[in-house]
Amino acid sequence: MKRILAFLCMISLLCGVFCLFGSAEGKAIGFYIPRAGNKRPRLPAEETVIEEHGGYYIDRHVDDESERRVLYLTFDAGYENGNVEKILDTLAAEEVPAAFFVLDHLILENTDLVCRMQKEGHLVCNHTKNHKDMTKCQKEEMVKNLTDLEKLCEEKTGCALAKYFRFPEGRFSKDALMTAEELGYKTIFWSFAYADWDNGKQPDPARAKKKILENTHNGAVILLHPTSATNAEILPELIREWKAMGYSFGTLDELTTE
């Protein structure tokens, strides 16, 4: 009997260890990076796991002292309200490439706009089908969500999504990162974002522009929402000021080259 009890205790202990391990792997993390002004920000320790599983938030090829100055413009685009088209007009006029992380709504309701993104040399990337929190999904559900968007994009536009992924609201886990990696995706986070997403509470254009410029740093991956009226208004001036500061604009293909 003592041997049986000891064996059962050992099994219970091992199960507890495995459960804890599984919980840690699946722990939801809200991506956050503290600002450092015009210096490159540092990733918090608990988030360094992204770099181990195909994740990027900043250009690793440059630093604060590099002669090459480069920025990466990325947009999370769920729908069109007139401002996405304005953003595209500005990018075309300034000859600046960008990456758009899209949902199914934009592909279904504004197919021509998505085709325009692709035609004008921008990357159209995966932001999930419906902006669902992937940390609350089983692996099979996440796989289906991402692959369903791939199929929809090809069906509606005739073009494949670029193999770049962004978690809705930046909520991720190690398990979810690994699933995206298994699907062939590189996961793109950011080194600068600001509160631009609420269309009913848009930031003052002058203050927004000041905030963005005061936090521009070399190799920055900048996250903006193209539905923002403020962003649509200030983007032409922002791009021209960035150019005057010596910055060029890179693509995610360049960002993720090892």
Side-chain angles (χ1 to χ4, degrees):
M1 179 63 72
K2 289 182 179 179
R3 288 182 179 179
I4 293 173
L5 288 173
F7 176 76
L8 290 175
C9 287
M10 181 181 70
I11 293 298
S12 176
L13 178 61
L14 287 173
C15 286
V17 170
F18 287 136
C19 287
L20 285 171
F21 177 75
S23 174
E25 301 297 286
K27 175 187 174 185
I29 302 172
F31 184 78
Y32 167 75
I33 188 162
R35 293 174 183 161
N38 294 129
K39 299 294 184 182
R40 289 159 60 88
R42 293 186 178 183
L43 197 64
E46 72 166 352
E47 297 178 23
T48 56
V49 65
I50 71 174
E51 297 180 311
E52 300 168 13
H53 295 286
Y56 298 80
Y57 73 98
I58 201 168
D59 190 339
R60 303 169 189 167
H61 304 102
V62 297
D63 57 31
D64 288 328
E65 308 305 322
S66 296
E67 184 177 344
R68 179 174 178 250
R69 315 298 289 176
V70 61
L71 303 174
Y72 300 85
L73 290 185
T74 70
F75 297 89
D76 286 1
Y79 61 95
E80 166 65 313
N81 60 354
N83 290 319
V84 178
E85 186 172 9
K86 292 177 183 177
I87 294 287
L88 284 172
D89 289 343
T90 295
L91 295 174
E94 297 294 335
E95 299 182 328
V96 169
F100 289 85
F101 291 84
V102 303
L103 307 177
D104 67 350
H105 184 276
L106 191 69
I107 295 173
L108 287 167
E109 300 298 324
N110 301 96
T111 308
D112 290 346
L113 205 60
V114 177
C115 288
R116 178 184 171 187
M117 292 172 184
Q118 294 166 327
K119 183 179 179 180
E120 294 183 355
H122 305 300
L123 294 174
V124 178
C125 312
N126 203 323
H127 196 34
T128 72
K129 185 170 180 275
N130 51 13
H131 212 257
K132 190 170 183 177
D133 183 348
M134 292 293 102
T135 67
K136 296 180 179 179
C137 296
Q138 295 296 318
K139 180 176 180 177
E140 295 77 12
E141 185 180 358
M142 179 176 172
V143 169
K144 187 176 187 307
N145 195 301
L146 270 62
T147 55
D148 278 356
L149 191 71
E150 292 174 2
K151 294 171 186 175
L152 180 66
C153 187
E154 289 202 43
E155 175 189 330
K156 293 296 182 181
T157 72
C159 297
L161 286 175
K163 278 292 187 173
Y164 298 105
F165 171 64
R166 176 168 283 158
F167 285 98
E169 298 181 4
R171 285 182 59 79
F172 71 98
S173 67
K174 182 176 180 179
D175 285 344
L177 274 169
M178 292 172 67
T179 297
E181 188 177 30
E182 288 170 11
L183 289 172
Y185 281 97
K186 294 176 181 178
T187 301
I188 308 300
F189 293 90
W190 57 88
S191 60
F192 174 80
Y194 81 116
D196 63 347
W197 55 83
D198 187 345
N199 293 326
K201 191 179 180 181
Q202 281 292 286
D204 173 75
R207 291 180 182 177
K209 180 182 167 186
K210 183 174 184 288
K211 179 178 291 185
I212 294 169
L213 290 174
E214 286 180 346
N215 289 281
T216 296
H217 48 274
N218 200 18
V221 177
I222 297 172
L223 163 58
L224 300 173
H225 288 82
T227 50
S228 162
T230 294
N231 288 341
E233 179 179 339
I234 68 176
L235 189 60
E237 292 181 5
L238 264 177
I239 288 176
R240 288 193 285 271
E241 292 210 29
W242 278 327
K243 287 179 177 178
M245 294 163 67
Y247 284 104
S248 61
F249 297 86
T251 69
L252 297 187
D253 292 340
E254 296 167 342
L255 174 75
T256 60
T257 298
E258 297 297 336

